[in-house]
Amino acid sequence: MDVAIARALAIGPDSTAAERTIDITTLGARTGVPRRIEIWFHRVDGRWYLTGMPGPRSWYANVRAHPRFTLHLKHRVTADLPATAVPVDEVTRRRVITAVLDLQNRPEIAARVSQRQTFDDWFAHSPLVEIVFDDEQLRTASSTYPE
């Protein structure tokens, strides 16, 4: 396992916006055409997630239709990591959304957020999936580097 990849995946509450920023390539829900976008990823309790502001999101429709996607690391290291988007249960949803919204209180993040979001709005209307990497070593990398 590449140590640089493991470190890039070892994001936590103190990680910068740049460290959280990745690209993902999904297949279009209707077209099947590859689509690449920039997005933040999050790590909560040793697992990785994709979420976003409340409302419909194309990337979310895409991974619901075609769960396999590629996560592209592009900061500390460049790597293309095959993964699957997995739905989460309500307990996990509550825990992850709480952690993501807690980021809004950090000064460097708050400056980038134009409007504070409420927990209820995020919980009811935000897309959220767990990222499960194809590579078994990546799935266990979270235990090597604490959050």
Side-chain angles (χ1 to χ4, degrees):
M1 152 95 112
D2 187 315
V3 173
I5 291 173
R7 285 192 180 125
L9 293 173
I11 60 171
D14 294 329
S15 296
T16 67
E19 291 168 328
R20 295 177 180 289
T21 304
I22 59 169
D23 286 352
I24 60 170
T25 298
T26 61
L27 293 179
R30 290 176 297 197
T31 65
V33 173
R35 304 286 183 199
R36 185 167 176 153
I37 65 157
E38 186 174 78
I39 190 169
W40 279 10
F41 76 126
H42 302 274
R43 194 174 116 204
V44 178
D45 298 334
R47 295 179 177 266
W48 296 273
Y49 299 91
L50 294 174
T51 190
M53 300 289 286
R57 298 286 175 252
S58 295
W59 69 264
Y60 185 62
N62 294 350
V63 298
R64 287 180 50 132
H66 306 283
R68 306 246 330 111
F69 71 100
T70 303
L71 183 147
H72 307 280
L73 295 174
K74 58 186 193 172
H75 290 285
R76 295 183 197 169
V77 62
T78 301
D80 300 325
L81 308 174
T84 301
V86 177
V88 299
D89 61 26
E90 193 169 312
V91 172
T92 301
R93 184 174 183 76
R94 184 172 301 281
R95 191 174 68 251
V96 171
I97 288 173
T98 297
V100 169
L101 289 177
D102 284 348
L103 288 174
Q104 288 187 5
N105 296 325
R106 297 193 54 204
E108 67 278 8
I109 304 296
R112 300 172 71 99
V113 176
S114 60
Q115 176 181 343
R116 297 275 187 212
Q117 301 295 319
T118 68
F119 175 84
D120 292 339
D121 195 28
W122 269 71
F123 190 78
H125 304 290
S126 290
L128 175 64
V129 294
E130 180 179 353
I131 301 165
V132 177
F133 294 105
D134 288 3
D135 185 324
E136 176 66 31
Q137 289 182 323
L138 292 178
R139 289 195 298 261
T140 58
S142 64
S143 61
T144 306
Y145 297 92
E147 291 179 51

